Amino acid sequence: REYEEFKVRINALVEKRKKVPEEGWMMQDGRPWPGNNPHDHPGMIQIFLGSTGALDVRGNELPLFVYVSREKKPGFHHHNKLGVLNALVRVSGVLTNSPYILNMDCTQYINNNKVIREAMCFMMDLPVGKNISYVQFPPRFHALHQEDNFSNHNTVFYDIMMKGLDGIQGPICLGSACVFRRRSLYGYASGVDPK
């Protein structure tokens, strides 16, 4: 129920965003929103607090949604996924002390509610879990053409090639649909105290 209510609120914001006021968007304090020009703006972080009542260990309300946008300037390339991930790792390091990060593309969604638990089973496995940097889930596409002329099912790549590379500790991270161990993104080996 809470998810459905949140989805309705987000979709309403999207519809409202499509109707840009002539003077641009304004923030609650009356200043213009820095993202009025999507091609030229400073870095932005917006934290949306919900009414879930969820609190952190200090009693502060936990954010329901965090929006991060990197600085964008004309003439500078800014559409690379690794740059976005780098910015998110830095921001999330200030907002949370979570040892794990779920990374998804904005065009993806999880249709298996056990996917996080399955990733944690690998990450927290006692004998080998500390040596796992990320757990990646292959995207699956449905309602495709029966012959799948463009290989959108990606079965050869995900089900054969990636599993084969696992035997030599070499599967690559494709950058989305995965859970990362934060320490590995910071460059710390397992068992090394970063302090």
Side-chain angles (χ1 to χ4, degrees):
R1 183 181 60 76
E2 287 179 9
Y3 170 78
E4 290 299 325
E5 290 172 3
F6 181 64
K7 185 170 79 171
V8 167
R9 288 179 21 221
I10 292 297
N11 288 339
L13 286 172
V14 169
E15 287 302 315
K16 185 178 176 184
R17 175 71 173 111
K18 290 179 182 175
K19 302 170 189 157
V20 179
E22 203 169 295
E23 67 279 358
W25 295 103
M26 304 299 278
M27 295 190 291
Q28 284 184 331
D29 62 4
R31 292 181 295 138
W33 184 57
N36 278 326
N37 182 347
H39 306 293
D40 186 6
H41 64 75
M44 296 179 291
I45 301 171
Q46 291 186 332
I47 300 173
F48 301 93
L49 295 176
S51 56
T52 61
L55 304 176
D56 66 10
V57 294
R58 295 185 185 133
N60 300 318
E61 187 175 13
L62 290 173
L64 190 58
F65 183 75
V66 178
Y67 172 81
V68 177
S69 179
R70 292 184 300 153
E71 177 182 21
K72 294 181 182 160
K73 294 288 178 201
F76 289 92
H77 189 63
H78 57 266
H79 293 292
N80 295 332
K81 187 180 286 187
L82 286 178
V84 172
L85 184 58
N86 188 27
L88 290 174
V89 167
R90 290 178 185 194
V91 169
S92 69
V94 174
L95 296 175
T96 178
N97 63 353
S98 171
Y100 307 103
I101 297 172
L102 171 66
N103 183 32
M104 300 290 295
D105 277 350
C106 62
T107 57
Q108 296 176 332
Y109 65 93
I110 298 173
N111 60 2
N112 177 357
N113 64 357
K114 296 183 176 108
V115 75
I116 304 298
R117 182 170 52 180
E118 290 176 15
M120 291 300 101
C121 286
F122 286 103
M123 295 282 198
M124 300 175 92
D125 184 61
L126 289 178
V128 296
K130 65 182 178 186
N131 296 320
I132 295 176
S133 294
Y134 63 90
V135 175
Q136 183 168 246
F137 298 92
R140 298 294 184 203
F141 303 93
H142 302 286
L144 298 172
H145 189 268
Q146 200 154 7
E147 275 99 41
D148 191 20
N149 297 334
F150 302 106
S151 188
N152 289 315
H153 283 291
N154 290 319
T155 51
V156 172
F157 182 71
Y158 286 108
D159 296 340
I160 298 170
M161 292 174 64
M162 292 293 275
K163 288 181 181 176
L165 289 172
D166 189 40
I168 56 171
Q169 299 177 346
I172 58 171
C173 177
L174 300 174
S176 63
C178 55
V179 176
F180 290 104
R181 183 181 306 276
R182 182 182 298 275
R183 290 176 71 111
S184 65
L185 293 176
Y186 288 165
Y188 298 119
S190 61
V192 175
D193 189 1
K195 293 177 184 165

